[in-house]
Amino acid sequence: MTAPADLLSPALEAVVLRFAGMVRAVGRRHGLEESDLDEVIQDVRIRLWRARESGERIAGSPSSYVYQTARSATLDLVRRRRGRGGRPEVVALDPGGGDLAGHDGPDRAMEDSELAEAVFRAVEALMDSRRRVVRLHLLGYESAEIAGLLGWSGGKTRNLLSRGLADLRERLRELGVGPGGLQ
Amino acid sequence: MSESRLRELYLRAMARRAPATRDACPSPDDLLALAEGRAPAGRRDELLDHVTTCAACHGEFVLLRTPVTTGRAAPRVWAWWGLAAAAAVAAVGAGWWALGRGEGEAVRGDAEALEVVAPGPSAPRARLAFMWRSVPGATGYEVRLGAAGSGLRSLGATTDTAYRPADAPAPGDYVWIVRALFSDGRAIRSLPRRLTVTP
């Protein structure tokens, strides 16, 4: 195999590589499919290459250019998926190595299914502000990210998250879900 | 019950509730507005309520948010967005020359075929470069090229998704393909494309 072709300037290629590394890190944290990330990263390179070939000058801030290109590439990927009727893979965070499929037989699977519904219903029953922050927390977002998404201060976010999680555990106890599962 | 277990169960319930159709889901543009913090407060809450209960939309939201997350430290120069959009429009114009199928190698349907990006129907010799979209699982790629009416020969190989030949072919009319190679010996290839190399 030969070395990769030098199609972008070294400076721009370096930015693309750095961006690719960051995208993969974020993508892995949120359980995104590698193929999705590959598609976005490759699309970014293609668009940059096309811009260069068409004589566009990527000057000033190559980082900004790369990120804006990534933004449009990602949006187009989602649109293409929708157009094809495709459904993205379920985003499964893996905060503790949990296995969503379960391998302990049908009884365990049934219990997990019931537990999952119980957790979902318990979250649904939380008051609005606490429900949103708890949902985001359960989906793996950190406090700072949640604060940004909700437009809240860090203190408010941490406070409502703490109260929301306490409420959630209380509701689960009421539903008969204890530390070990259904009771 | 640990938090990781709570998360696992919440995700499981969310996946089970995935909608049969996406008709009621927010548009990709709405999801992007949410990801970028541009959604008005009331709409933002509606969108978050949906995204955090719909596995399909959450997957898209995470994807759309990835550049925002990774680009947070970078200064935003929105003027460049116009250039990126122009490049995207140009990409739509890429054409296909379907000249037939090879022997013994898979050429999938258009939606899944190894998709070639460049060059177009003609390219100057000094700037000749080949680009294609990555194929999941491929361990390398081979560009094959031949004069019109003759067989294809290997022009070069790479693990990248772009290749610029060190010794570009002389001006003339050619046909070329790119093959994606897999570790188990399989290969798939693009549809053949015509190429006129100009001086």
Side-chain angles (χ1 to χ4, degrees), chain B residues 20-78:
Chain B
T21 72
R22 306 294 304 281
D23 296 345
C25 292
S27 70
D29 294 272
D30 278 344
L31 295 180
L32 182 62
L34 177 66
E36 294 180 339
R38 291 186 288 107
R43 180 65 177 147
R44 178 190 65 205
D45 290 347
E46 287 176 9
L47 289 169
L48 275 174
D49 284 345
H50 182 93
V51 161
T52 53
T53 53
C54 173
C57 282
H58 186 243
E60 293 176 348
F61 174 70
V62 170
L63 198 57
L64 289 165
R65 194 164 172 271
T66 302
V68 180
T69 308
T70 56
R72 188 169 289 142
R76 291 167 184 254
V77 182
W78 292 98

Side-chain angles (χ1 to χ4, degrees), chain A residues 24 27-28 30-39 81 88-91, chain B residues 63:
Chain A
R24 290 191 192 288
R28 282 193 200 102
H30 286 278
L32 288 183
E33 291 288 307
E34 285 287 329
S35 58
D36 284 347
L37 301 175
D38 284 344
E39 195 168 349
R81 291 270 177 86
E89 295 298 318
V90 172
V91 175
Chain B
L63 198 57

Side-chain angles (χ1 to χ4, degrees), chain A residues 1-7 19 22-24 26-27 29-30 32 35-40 42-43 45-61 63-65 67-72 74-82 84 86-102 108-109 111-113 115-117 119-121 123-124 128 131-132 135-141 145-146 148-152 165 168-169 172 177-182, chain B residues 1-22 25-32 34-38 42 44-46 48-78 80-81 83-94 111 116-120 124 127-137 139-142 156-165 181:
Chain A
M1 298 286 177
T2 62
D6 177 21
L7 293 169
F19 167 77
M22 294 165 74
V23 162
R24 290 191 192 288
V26 172
R29 187 162 74 82
H30 286 278
L32 288 183
S35 58
D36 284 347
L37 301 175
D38 284 344
E39 195 168 349
V40 168
Q42 175 60 2
D43 218 21
R45 292 192 71 207
I46 289 167
R47 288 168 193 233
L48 292 171
W49 183 80
R50 281 190 181 280
R52 199 189 95 146
E53 284 294 292
S54 65
E56 303 287 2
R57 292 174 59 198
I58 304 171
S61 177
S63 294
S64 294
Y65 193 94
Y67 295 128
Q68 291 308 314
T69 305
R71 174 186 187 269
S72 59
T74 311
L75 183 60
D76 284 352
L77 171 62
V78 171
R79 285 174 174 157
R80 282 199 301 273
R81 291 270 177 86
R82 292 263 187 119
R84 292 201 299 259
R87 182 184 295 176
E89 295 298 318
V90 172
V91 175
L93 293 167
D94 188 16
D99 181 357
L100 293 183
R108 171 66 189 272
E111 182 178 329
D112 276 4
S113 180
L115 271 173
E117 282 305 309
V119 168
F120 198 88
R121 285 198 304 274
V123 173
E124 288 291 289
D128 277 2
R131 185 173 64 236
R132 289 196 185 101
R135 278 177 179 159
L136 287 165
H137 176 75
L138 292 180
L139 288 170
Y141 294 87
E145 293 177 295
I146 296 172
L149 286 168
L150 291 169
W152 293 350
L165 288 173
L168 176 60
R169 294 187 188 284
L172 286 172
V177 181
L182 287 173
Chain B
M1 188 180 295
S2 68
E3 279 200 22
S4 63
R5 178 75 170 139
L6 272 177
R7 288 175 172 175
E8 177 189 331
L9 292 168
Y10 185 79
L11 282 166
R12 176 185 287 256
M14 199 162 108
R16 285 168 57 93
R17 290 163 183 261
T21 72
R22 306 294 304 281
C25 292
S27 70
D29 294 272
D30 278 344
L31 295 180
L32 182 62
L34 177 66
E36 294 180 339
R38 291 186 288 107
R44 178 190 65 205
D45 290 347
E46 287 176 9
L48 275 174
D49 284 345
H50 182 93
V51 161
T52 53
T53 53
C54 173
C57 282
H58 186 243
E60 293 176 348
F61 174 70
V62 170
L63 198 57
L64 289 165
R65 194 164 172 271
T66 302
V68 180
T69 308
T70 56
R72 188 169 289 142
R76 291 167 184 254
V77 182
W78 292 98
W80 286 110
W81 164 232
L83 297 180
V89 170
V92 175
V116 164
V117 174
R127 293 172 63 193
L128 182 60
F130 300 87
M131 289 191 79
W132 52 90
R133 292 189 185 279
S134 61
V135 176
T139 55
Y141 301 90
E142 179 194 24
T158 177
T159 54
D160 201 353
T161 50
Y163 179 74
R164 172 165 284 171
L181 311 171

